[in-house]
Amino acid sequence: MTHPALILFLALFGLYSPVAALASYLPIVRPYTHKQVNRLAIGLAVNVAVFVLAALWIGEPLLKLLGISTAALTATGGIALAYAAIPLMRGQAGAVEELERLEEERQPGANPSSEPVPEPKSILFTPLSFPLTVGGTTFAFGVAASAAATTLPDKLALSLAALCFAVVTGVTLYLSGHVQRRISFKGAMILDRVAGILLTAIAVILLANGFTDLVTARLAH
């Protein structure tokens, strides 16, 4: 339990919290077909793998080069998440109308809606990958773990842990597609509100942590 790679995986797993993440994915994947959700799951796993591996191998010099701190990334993730979550929490994100449309289409003899659904690629990076799945804190974990790795085998073990975490995120998104197809109309509406509340709370935490770290770093200088 003391191996750096295992510690990194458990830290990322705990930060991600698959159960909470699955609930947050539900209102996002609802308009998409089974095949589209599968492609999104694969794309998410790839994005997460690239993100964490970049943090491990080039994270520290990259942040120094760009003059960006992990605190700034965390705060930015909080703002982006709040932008997406607050309308959900208030029931003003168009989710209710989408649910009603889908419910009507399930009725016998109903005609499919002609309203266009956004391309999956348009939501893959934001908000699916960032900030719902990874963010500044995730990047900071990778940078910290890399700094503690002194040998190439240690770095490779950390990379394997990053790939395992990426698989977990892809599987979670895949499962969310199955859950949303089996949930009732009223249950989906309730989960939309609950997910909005949870995501808004997470956004507030990210904002508070990010801005606190920024102010602390400024005062230290």
Side-chain angles (χ1 to χ4, degrees):
M1 292 295 291
T2 60
H3 195 283
L6 181 59
I7 293 174
L8 174 64
F9 176 79
L10 293 177
L12 293 175
F13 188 90
L15 176 67
Y16 176 60
S17 185
V19 174
L22 188 148
S24 69
Y25 292 152
L26 290 178
I28 296 174
V29 303
R30 184 171 295 117
Y32 299 100
T33 65
H34 177 68
K35 290 184 178 180
Q36 288 175 320
V37 173
N38 289 347
R39 289 197 292 268
L40 283 172
I42 295 172
L44 177 65
V46 171
N47 284 356
V48 171
V50 171
F51 186 86
V52 182
L53 288 174
L56 289 172
W57 290 94
I58 61 171
E60 189 172 4
L62 180 62
L63 290 181
K64 289 182 179 180
L65 177 65
L66 297 177
I68 300 174
S69 67
T70 55
L73 285 176
T74 301
T76 302
I79 294 172
L81 185 56
Y83 181 81
I86 290 176
L88 267 179
M89 181 180 64
R90 300 179 61 189
Q92 297 179 344
V96 174
E97 290 80 2
E98 177 65 19
L99 286 169
E100 290 175 346
R101 181 184 65 80
L102 292 174
E103 188 69 12
E104 289 176 357
E105 291 181 0
R106 291 172 184 167
Q107 302 301 322
N111 295 322
S113 173
S114 60
E115 293 182 10
V117 176
E119 285 293 324
K121 290 182 179 180
S122 67
I123 66 164
L124 181 56
F125 182 76
T126 304
L128 272 183
S129 298
F130 180 85
L132 287 183
T133 306
V134 293
T137 305
T138 309
F139 198 84
F141 279 178
V143 173
S146 177
T150 57
T151 64
L152 181 59
D154 288 340
K155 276 282 189 73
L156 293 176
L158 291 175
S159 299
L160 179 60
L163 294 176
C164 291
F165 172 66
V167 171
V168 169
T169 63
V171 170
T172 302
L173 181 58
Y174 170 79
L175 293 177
S176 72
H178 286 275
V179 172
Q180 69 86 17
R181 284 192 296 272
R182 288 164 174 77
I183 196 169
S184 67
F185 173 68
K186 290 184 178 179
M189 292 179 62
I190 293 173
L191 278 180
D192 271 0
R193 293 296 185 97
V194 172
I197 293 171
L198 292 175
L199 293 176
T200 302
I202 294 172
V204 171
I205 293 172
L206 291 175
L207 280 170
N209 289 344
F211 282 122
T212 299
D213 291 344
L214 285 171
V215 171
T216 302
R218 178 61 62 183
L219 292 176
H221 287 294

